[in-house]
Amino acid sequence: MRVRITFNVHNRGGLVPFHHQFLISGVFKNLLLADVNTRFRDYAFYSFSGLKGQTRLSRSGLHYNSRKVTIVISSASADFIGHLVNLVFEEKELTIGELKMSPDTAEEELAVNLERGTKYVCISPLIIIPPDQGAEESKQFVDPSLDAFSDLLYESTITRMSVYGIDVEAIPDAQKFQLVPDEHYLQKIRSANKKFARIYPLYDGEAKMEARGYTFPFTLYAAREIQEFIFTCGLGAECYKGFGMLDLANSNPVERTVTIRSNEELIST
């Protein structure tokens, strides 16, 4: 289940760091920890996008100038999504960096047909080596065109699916997994002296860690069951901290949404 939450901005121009997944993660984690319902406090099968809105760049970060901003949350559990959305809407105001905002509407994205070869874009950075494998290892660059890049993602995906309770061995051709980057995009980025791979901060409690994250379009060839898990739970490592969230390339997700909550009132759909 994927839900797009739109927030009203209270201080247009509010500053947010360029890399702010850890700030959103902290907000969600604090909401879950403070809730009397402990069921989802350590739930890890979800991901979320960065903060989307009209921005102005400065040396300090991103200034959000739009009246509204959005965050997309996705999970294999509709119960978890409903619980987290309710917690968000119980708050009169949330703060990300210096940006102050309040929840306005929540829209569910309708189901999509995922083929064996599906083209995706990253709407949050993709981490292939988690920080717990070592500070230097997690920051090393791996060329997305190499088999090693796909292999690392395959291993982490299969492990997560198994922990979730999916019988991977029952999936036909589950071992046929290959990520093919959009080489035209990568060449364009390189020729413009821009980056598609950066070092991102994330936290384990109070301990700050770093890992290399990638943002680029690619085609993933994998079984439908694997595609569906990735589309709802994220791809790669540290997804529950806001990494590895994908969306379909050449598709407008706003056109495939239905409102499920608005102005504190739950709407039956």
Side-chain angles (χ1 to χ4, degrees), residues 92-139:
K92 293 183 178 180
E93 184 174 88
L94 295 171
T95 302
I96 304 293
E98 297 178 3
L99 190 69
K100 300 182 184 300
M101 56 195 194
S102 59
D104 180 41
T105 59
E107 299 171 296
E108 179 182 353
E109 293 186 10
L110 302 179
V112 296
N113 182 34
L114 300 173
E115 302 175 352
R116 171 167 285 277
T118 300
K119 188 170 183 178
Y120 295 105
V121 293
C122 300
I123 58 175
S124 69
L126 173 63
I127 293 176
I128 64 170
I129 304 176
D132 60 13
Q133 292 192 16
E136 295 306 314
E137 287 81 358
S138 66
K139 291 189 285 187

Side-chain angles (χ1 to χ4, degrees), residues 177-252:
F177 182 105
Q178 186 68 39
L179 182 148
V180 180
D182 185 329
E183 286 295 342
H184 175 73
Y185 174 86
L186 296 185
Q187 291 174 7
K188 183 178 179 180
I189 290 295
R190 290 175 177 132
S191 64
N193 292 320
K194 296 182 179 180
K195 297 180 179 180
F196 63 87
R198 297 177 173 84
I199 304 300
Y200 292 86
L202 60 160
Y203 287 80
D204 183 8
E206 297 296 324
K208 181 180 179 180
M209 302 176 293
E210 293 180 323
R212 184 172 295 276
Y214 303 76
T215 53
F216 61 91
F218 60 87
T219 300
L220 180 65
Y221 296 92
R224 177 181 56 80
E225 294 87 345
I226 294 177
Q227 300 271 15
E228 290 175 347
F229 180 82
I230 286 171
F231 194 61
T232 54
C233 295
L235 176 63
E238 308 296 333
C239 293
Y240 70 105
K241 293 183 179 179
F243 293 91
M245 190 171 194
L246 310 177
D247 206 349
L248 300 179
N250 305 315
S251 175
N252 183 357

